[in-house]
Amino acid sequence: MVLAMGTSAFILPQTSGPIVARGKGALFTVHPSLALSGAIASSDGGGSGPAVLDKPETIEKSKVEDSVKEKEKHGSEGWEVRLFNDPMNKREFVARCLTEICGMSDGQSFQVMMQAHQSGVAVIGRYNFELAELYHNSLRDNGLLVDMRPVDDDA
Protein backbone atom coordinates (compact mmCIF):
# COMPACT_ATOMS: atom_id res chain seq x y z
CA MET A 1 0.00 0.00 0.00
CA VAL A 2 1.22 3.50 -0.85
CA LEU A 3 0.30 6.57 1.20
CA ALA A 4 0.46 9.75 -0.87
CA MET A 5 1.16 13.12 0.82
CA GLY A 6 1.95 16.06 -1.42
CA THR A 7 4.77 14.92 -3.69
CA SER A 8 6.01 12.19 -1.30
CA ALA A 9 4.77 8.60 -1.28
CA PHE A 10 5.29 6.02 1.45
CA ILE A 11 4.97 2.27 1.22
CA LEU A 12 3.05 1.01 4.24
CA PRO A 13 2.62 -2.52 5.52
CA GLN A 14 -0.86 -4.11 5.63
CA THR A 15 -1.92 -3.83 9.28
CA SER A 16 -5.16 -3.87 11.19
CA GLY A 17 -4.31 -0.95 13.53
CA PRO A 18 -3.81 2.73 12.78
CA ILE A 19 -1.11 3.51 10.23
CA VAL A 20 1.48 6.08 11.26
CA ALA A 21 3.58 7.83 8.60
CA ARG A 22 6.15 10.58 8.93
CA GLY A 23 6.98 12.97 6.16
CA LYS A 24 8.29 16.53 5.81
CA GLY A 25 8.52 16.92 9.59
CA ALA A 26 4.88 15.97 10.20
CA LEU A 27 3.39 12.84 11.69
CA PHE A 28 0.22 11.46 10.12
CA THR A 29 -2.08 8.81 11.55
CA VAL A 30 -4.41 7.13 9.12
CA HIS A 31 -7.15 4.72 10.14
CA PRO A 32 -6.92 1.50 8.10
CA SER A 33 -10.51 1.78 6.85
CA LEU A 34 -9.63 5.11 5.22
CA ALA A 35 -6.35 3.86 3.86
CA LEU A 36 -7.90 0.72 2.36
CA SER A 37 -10.92 2.55 0.92
CA GLY A 38 -8.76 4.58 -1.43
CA ALA A 39 -9.70 7.87 0.19
CA ILE A 40 -6.11 8.56 1.22
CA ALA A 41 -3.91 5.78 -0.10
CA SER A 42 -3.64 3.87 -3.35
CA SER A 43 -2.57 0.24 -3.60
CA ASP A 44 -1.19 0.31 -7.12
CA GLY A 45 2.40 0.60 -5.83
CA GLY A 46 3.27 3.25 -8.41
CA GLY A 47 2.61 6.32 -6.31
CA SER A 48 0.99 7.98 -9.30
CA GLY A 49 -0.53 10.83 -7.30
CA PRO A 50 -3.23 11.65 -4.83
CA ALA A 51 -6.43 9.66 -4.83
CA VAL A 52 -9.69 11.18 -6.02
CA LEU A 53 -12.59 11.21 -3.60
CA ASP A 54 -16.11 10.38 -4.76
CA LYS A 55 -18.66 13.19 -4.74
CA PRO A 56 -20.73 13.05 -1.54
CA GLU A 57 -24.38 12.14 -1.87
CA THR A 58 -26.79 15.07 -1.65
CA ILE A 59 -30.30 14.97 -0.32
CA GLU A 60 -32.79 17.30 -1.99
CA LYS A 61 -35.39 19.05 0.12
CA SER A 62 -38.99 18.79 -0.83
CA LYS A 63 -40.03 21.94 -2.66
CA VAL A 64 -43.65 21.42 -1.66
CA GLU A 65 -42.74 22.07 1.98
CA ASP A 66 -41.01 25.35 1.06
CA SER A 67 -43.90 26.56 -1.09
CA VAL A 68 -46.37 25.93 1.75
CA LYS A 69 -44.28 28.03 4.14
CA GLU A 70 -43.95 30.72 1.46
CA LYS A 71 -47.71 30.74 0.88
CA GLU A 72 -48.33 31.04 4.63
CA LYS A 73 -46.03 34.04 4.82
CA HIS A 74 -47.02 35.76 1.58
CA GLY A 75 -50.53 34.38 1.31
CA SER A 76 -53.56 36.07 -0.13
CA GLU A 77 -55.14 36.61 3.28
CA GLY A 78 -53.37 39.96 3.71
CA TRP A 79 -51.65 41.62 6.59
CA GLU A 80 -52.96 44.34 8.86
CA VAL A 81 -50.65 47.16 9.89
CA ARG A 82 -51.78 48.62 13.22
CA LEU A 83 -50.82 51.87 14.90
CA PHE A 84 -50.71 52.16 18.68
CA ASN A 85 -51.03 55.32 20.74
CA ASP A 86 -47.80 56.49 22.31
CA PRO A 87 -47.11 59.54 24.47
CA MET A 88 -43.78 60.33 22.79
CA ASN A 89 -44.84 61.50 19.33
CA LYS A 90 -47.01 64.50 18.60
CA ARG A 91 -50.26 63.89 16.75
CA GLU A 92 -49.21 66.07 13.82
CA PHE A 93 -45.99 64.08 13.39
CA VAL A 94 -47.89 60.76 13.40
CA ALA A 95 -50.37 62.05 10.81
CA ARG A 96 -47.53 63.40 8.64
CA CYS A 97 -45.73 60.01 8.75
CA LEU A 98 -48.91 58.20 7.69
CA THR A 99 -49.35 60.64 4.81
CA GLU A 100 -45.76 60.47 3.57
CA ILE A 101 -45.05 56.76 4.13
CA CYS A 102 -48.40 55.07 3.52
CA GLY A 103 -49.68 57.50 0.89
CA MET A 104 -52.85 58.33 2.80
CA SER A 105 -54.66 61.60 2.34
CA ASP A 106 -54.41 64.18 5.11
CA GLY A 107 -57.97 63.39 6.20
CA GLN A 108 -57.41 59.63 6.31
CA SER A 109 -54.15 59.92 8.21
CA PHE A 110 -55.78 62.30 10.70
CA GLN A 111 -58.68 59.85 11.26
CA VAL A 112 -56.32 56.90 11.83
CA MET A 113 -54.15 58.96 14.16
CA MET A 114 -57.18 60.13 16.18
CA GLN A 115 -58.58 56.61 16.48
CA ALA A 116 -55.21 55.39 17.80
CA HIS A 117 -55.08 58.35 20.18
CA GLN A 118 -58.60 57.82 21.55
CA SER A 119 -58.93 54.01 21.59
CA GLY A 120 -55.27 53.01 21.87
CA VAL A 121 -55.03 51.22 18.54
CA ALA A 122 -56.05 51.83 14.92
CA VAL A 123 -55.75 49.78 11.74
CA ILE A 124 -53.75 51.67 9.14
CA GLY A 125 -54.76 49.23 6.41
CA ARG A 126 -54.63 45.72 4.95
CA TYR A 127 -51.84 45.03 2.51
CA ASN A 128 -49.96 42.12 0.95
CA PHE A 129 -46.95 40.96 2.96
CA GLU A 130 -44.26 42.96 1.15
CA LEU A 131 -46.13 46.26 1.31
CA ALA A 132 -47.21 45.69 4.93
CA GLU A 133 -43.60 44.94 5.87
CA LEU A 134 -42.39 48.06 4.08
CA TYR A 135 -44.92 50.30 5.86
CA HIS A 136 -44.29 48.61 9.20
CA ASN A 137 -40.52 49.01 9.01
CA SER A 138 -40.68 52.59 7.71
CA LEU A 139 -43.13 53.74 10.38
CA ARG A 140 -41.15 51.96 13.11
CA ASP A 141 -37.93 53.61 11.87
CA ASN A 142 -39.67 56.97 12.36
CA GLY A 143 -40.38 56.11 15.99
CA LEU A 144 -44.04 55.08 15.78
CA LEU A 145 -45.43 52.10 17.66
CA VAL A 146 -46.75 49.78 14.96
CA ASP A 147 -47.16 46.06 14.37
CA MET A 148 -48.37 43.82 11.59
CA ARG A 149 -50.40 40.66 11.81
CA PRO A 150 -51.91 38.20 9.33
CA VAL A 151 -55.63 38.51 8.67
CA ASP A 152 -57.98 35.86 7.26
CA ASP A 153 -60.09 36.83 4.23
CA ASP A 154 -63.28 35.36 5.67
CA ALA A 155 -63.07 37.39 8.91
Side-chain angles (χ1 to χ4, degrees), residues 19 65-66 76 78 86 91 93 99 108-109 121 128 140 146:
I19 300 169
E65 174 182 303
D66 292 341
S76 62
D86 69 284
R91 288 187 269 174
F93 174 74
T99 301
Q108 287 175 324
S109 61
V121 64
N128 65 10
R140 192 186 62 211
V146 292

Side-chain angles (χ1 to χ4, degrees), residues 77-81 123-128 151-153 155:
E77 70 269 3
W79 289 76
E80 255 183 9
V81 180
V123 175
I124 296 170
R126 286 188 180 186
Y127 309 100
N128 65 10
V151 178
D152 294 330
D153 283 335

Side-chain angles (χ1 to χ4, degrees), residues 51-65:
V52 178
L53 297 176
D54 292 334
K55 183 177 179 183
E57 293 183 28
T58 57
I59 300 172
E60 288 190 31
K61 274 187 163 180
S62 171
K63 295 193 180 203
V64 173
E65 174 182 303

Side-chain angles (χ1 to χ4, degrees), residues 3-152:
L3 176 64
M5 296 184 298
T7 58
S8 305
F10 301 92
I11 298 175
L12 302 172
Q14 297 290 338
T15 63
S16 61
I19 300 169
V20 178
R22 183 180 293 272
K24 293 188 180 181
L27 184 65
F28 298 94
T29 304
V30 179
H31 193 273
S33 64
L34 291 176
L36 296 177
S37 70
I40 296 176
S42 66
S43 60
D44 62 355
S48 60
V52 178
L53 297 176
D54 292 334
K55 183 177 179 183
E57 293 183 28
T58 57
I59 300 172
E60 288 190 31
K61 274 187 163 180
S62 171
K63 295 193 180 203
V64 173
E65 174 182 303
D66 292 341
S67 66
V68 169
K69 287 180 183 175
E70 196 71 19
K71 187 173 182 180
E72 287 175 3
K73 188 174 181 182
H74 301 282
S76 62
E77 70 269 3
W79 289 76
E80 255 183 9
V81 180
R82 299 185 301 176
L83 172 69
F84 294 93
N85 185 35
D86 69 284
M88 302 302 224
N89 295 308
K90 294 190 177 202
R91 288 187 269 174
E92 294 81 14
F93 174 74
V94 173
R96 180 61 49 204
C97 286
L98 292 172
T99 301
E100 291 177 357
I101 294 170
C102 300
M104 299 175 127
S105 68
D106 288 339
Q108 287 175 324
S109 61
F110 184 79
Q111 286 179 341
V112 170
M113 177 272 303
M114 283 307 293
Q115 182 172 354
H117 180 68
Q118 292 170 349
S119 65
V121 64
V123 175
I124 296 170
R126 286 188 180 186
Y127 309 100
N128 65 10
F129 179 78
E130 291 84 8
L131 194 56
E133 187 178 37
L134 174 71
Y135 290 163
H136 172 262
N137 290 338
S138 298
L139 291 168
R140 192 186 62 211
D141 290 346
N142 279 293
L144 302 183
L145 294 177
V146 292
D147 76 346
M148 57 186 273
R149 65 184 188 112
V151 178
D152 294 330

